[in-house]
Amino acid sequence: MSGAWGQALAPLLLLAAGAVLLMLQIAIARNGCLARRIALGTFAAAGGAALLVLAGGVPEATVTPLLTADAAALLMAALFAAGGAVTAALSGAYLQRHSEQPDEYYLLLILAVLGAAVLAYAVHVASLLLGLELLGVSAYALIAYPAERRPPVEAAIKYLVLSGAATATLLFGCALLYAASGTLTFAGLVATPADTVTTIGVTLILAGFAFKIAAVPFHLWIADVYEGAPAPVSGFLAGVSKAATLFVLLRLFLEAGLFAEAAVVRATALLAVLSMLAGNWLALLQDNIKRLLAYSSIAHAGYILIVFSAGAALPERALAVEAALFYLVAYVPTTLAAFALLTQLSAARDGGDLIAIDDLAGLFWRQPLLATLFFVALLSLAGIPLTAGFFAKFYLFAAAAPGEHWLLLAALVAGSALGIYYYLRLVFVMTRVAPEPAAVPSSGTVLTGLSIGLIGVIVALGVVPGALMGYLAGLLG
């Protein structure tokens, strides 16, 4: 392996090495605290390596036909490693209460992040499927943790069956495109003029991806899975897993020239409108916070899908890609911050993770730091100014407006208006005084530092977004 390849693949190699090290530790001596430290060290090393390569200005490297290590892939790898580190840090207290053997949990988490990072590098159907399955299979087991409780196992079975069907659909679509084009690289996958086989293949691939990101009408699994999964795993699925899938879909559109396919662009626009409106409407009807955030994540997938229509015109494509990348960078910490509160609440409960909105009553007066973290995350999800979410949505609006995508923009505004109502409803409940407040464990040093860090990231991206915007210009495609 050349030095350039070694640098390019450093995040992937470090994640793989961390997984091997953790397997050896589990085989020699079980220790949940040590396993968590190894996982955190692995994520820190992988994320740090990605940032160092970015800072060094190493040019884009093609590592076999399967992977490409450009600046966008390295940035996403660092983002996913950071998401894995946050999830591991949040999982400590939760697993101490709900699982006797947490070691394998951290191993699965490392493998899931490795799968997400592979998706960030993928430029070939083989690496795409490798990343999807590494992420998906790890997610099945993470959702079922701990196995002695029924809701997580039920959620894992549902996700296993439906996700397997979606992956098979995507794979069959890739097989049809291979039959038509004779190649499995993204760049040549749709190189032939559109015919029936190509059209069916692209349709099946889009349907498979739509399930993975829970776009309407492929969303029916998401609320049950998020509700049944452990709270930190739900946050990982909503943040890192969804961001990785959306990123590789964006790269596929760019590399395969799908922005030039009018029917595909119209299909993504339809998915976007349905997801924005239905996701926010369904979230509006929920009393369970995890189900509310699950339906909210459908709406956010719809928001990002706007860029697949905005990028159809070549003059606006660069801005649309920048908007998508900014949204992903803003969305991951915001989502993890929202689920951080649910993780902390779940760690104090014997009855599982079924947390109703009324359970938040009085949280501002009992745990001001946790309440502030959730408050900032909700404001960002709603798109309120001075948060990352505001500029993420503004960026989408700026990308779609020149192309006069008025229906998409109307759905964005209408969906955001609905979102403001149910997000601020949660804020209102937190300020109420509860007659019999639910138990909330005190914030430890790790959670305190994590909360301050997440709040700082969300606010910084909302107050001074220019640095990130300038960096993202021309980063992909």
Side-chain angles (χ1 to χ4, degrees):
M1 180 184 294
S2 67
W5 279 22
Q7 284 186 307
L9 292 179
L12 303 183
L13 295 175
L14 287 168
L15 287 168
V20 172
L21 178 61
L22 189 48
M23 282 190 280
L24 291 174
Q25 181 257 308
I26 294 172
I28 296 170
R30 286 185 172 276
N31 187 315
C33 292
L34 179 58
R36 183 159 68 109
R37 291 192 184 98
I38 292 174
L40 289 171
T42 299
F43 294 136
L51 294 177
L52 283 175
V53 175
L54 281 175
V58 175
E60 176 179 338
T62 300
V63 185
T64 74
L66 304 183
L67 305 170
T68 186
D70 55 11
L74 290 164
L75 177 63
M76 289 296 112
L79 179 65
F80 301 152
V86 171
T87 304
L90 289 172
S91 301
Y94 183 95
L95 292 175
Q96 284 180 2
R97 188 173 186 89
H98 294 291
S99 178
E100 295 180 357
Q101 294 184 339
D103 305 63
E104 287 86 354
Y105 175 93
Y106 296 108
L107 173 61
L108 291 166
L109 187 58
I110 292 175
L111 293 175
V113 173
L114 177 58
V118 169
L119 288 178
Y121 281 72
V123 288
H124 191 280
V125 171
S127 52
L128 166 66
L129 292 173
L130 177 64
L132 279 177
E133 288 309 291
L134 187 54
L135 175 58
V137 172
S138 301
Y140 306 150
L142 284 171
I143 292 169
Y145 231 94
E148 61 269 13
R149 288 169 50 204
R150 179 176 175 180
V153 175
E154 182 180 337
I157 292 173
K158 289 179 180 179
Y159 189 64
L160 170 64
V161 173
L162 296 175
S163 181
T167 301
T169 301
L170 190 153
L171 181 58
F172 186 48
C174 292
L176 291 177
L177 292 184
Y178 175 71
S181 66
T183 180
L184 288 174
T185 62
F186 287 179
L189 203 57
V190 196
T192 57
D195 55 17
T196 303
V197 173
T198 302
T199 301
I200 295 174
V202 172
T203 301
L204 292 174
I205 290 174
L206 188 59
F209 273 110
F211 173 89
K212 297 292 185 181
I213 63 173
V216 175
F218 303 93
H219 68 288
L220 298 178
W221 61 273
I222 189 169
D224 290 342
V225 170
Y226 282 25
E227 182 181 16
V233 176
S234 297
F236 181 84
L237 292 175
V240 174
S241 178
K242 182 165 289 191
T245 308
L246 283 163
F247 179 80
V248 74
L249 178 61
L250 179 62
R251 192 188 285 280
L252 176 62
F253 262 68
L254 289 168
E255 296 283 343
L258 292 179
F259 280 114
E261 302 291 334
V264 178
V265 172
R266 286 195 295 269
T268 58
L270 178 61
L271 291 174
V273 171
L274 292 176
S275 299
M276 286 185 281
L277 296 180
N280 281 302
W281 178 257
L282 290 169
L284 194 65
L285 306 176
Q286 303 305 311
D287 291 322
N288 179 282
I289 301 177
K290 288 177 76 173
R291 295 183 73 88
L292 183 151
L293 291 176
Y295 286 121
S296 166
S297 74
I298 296 173
H300 285 277
Y303 298 147
I304 303 177
L305 286 174
I306 290 175
V307 303
F308 295 95
S309 294
L314 189 58
E316 287 84 37
R317 187 168 303 167
L319 182 60
V321 172
E322 293 168 26
L325 293 177
F326 188 94
Y327 206 104
L328 293 178
V329 173
Y331 177 72
V332 171
T334 298
T335 302
L336 292 173
F339 278 93
L341 172 68
L342 300 186
T343 301
Q344 186 71 353
L345 292 177
S346 301
R349 298 164 63 97
D350 294 321
D353 298 358
L354 304 181
I355 300 173
I357 292 177
D358 289 338
D359 292 337
L360 298 179
L363 188 65
F364 262 121
W365 317 116
R366 292 178 283 122
Q367 283 288 345
L369 180 60
L370 275 177
T372 301
L373 175 65
F374 197 47
F375 171 68
V376 172
L378 292 174
L379 292 186
S380 185
L381 290 171
I384 303 299
L386 301 184
T387 63
F390 170 76
F391 277 99
K393 288 185 178 179
F394 179 80
Y395 222 151
L396 292 178
F397 199 99
E404 300 182 350
H405 301 284
W406 305 126
L407 179 59
L408 289 170
L409 293 176
L412 170 62
V413 172
S416 298
L418 289 173
I420 289 174
Y421 176 82
Y422 61 76
Y423 289 131
L424 294 186
R425 175 190 174 197
L426 297 176
V427 175
F428 171 74
V429 172
M430 287 194 295
T431 61
R432 285 189 345 215
V433 178
E436 295 182 3
V440 181
S442 59
S443 301
T445 304
V446 173
L447 183 60
T448 299
L450 197 59
S451 300
I452 294 173
L454 288 171
I455 291 172
V457 170
I458 295 169
V459 173
L461 289 176
V463 175
V464 285
L468 180 59
M469 288 179 173
Y471 180 76
L472 294 177
L475 197 62
L476 186 62

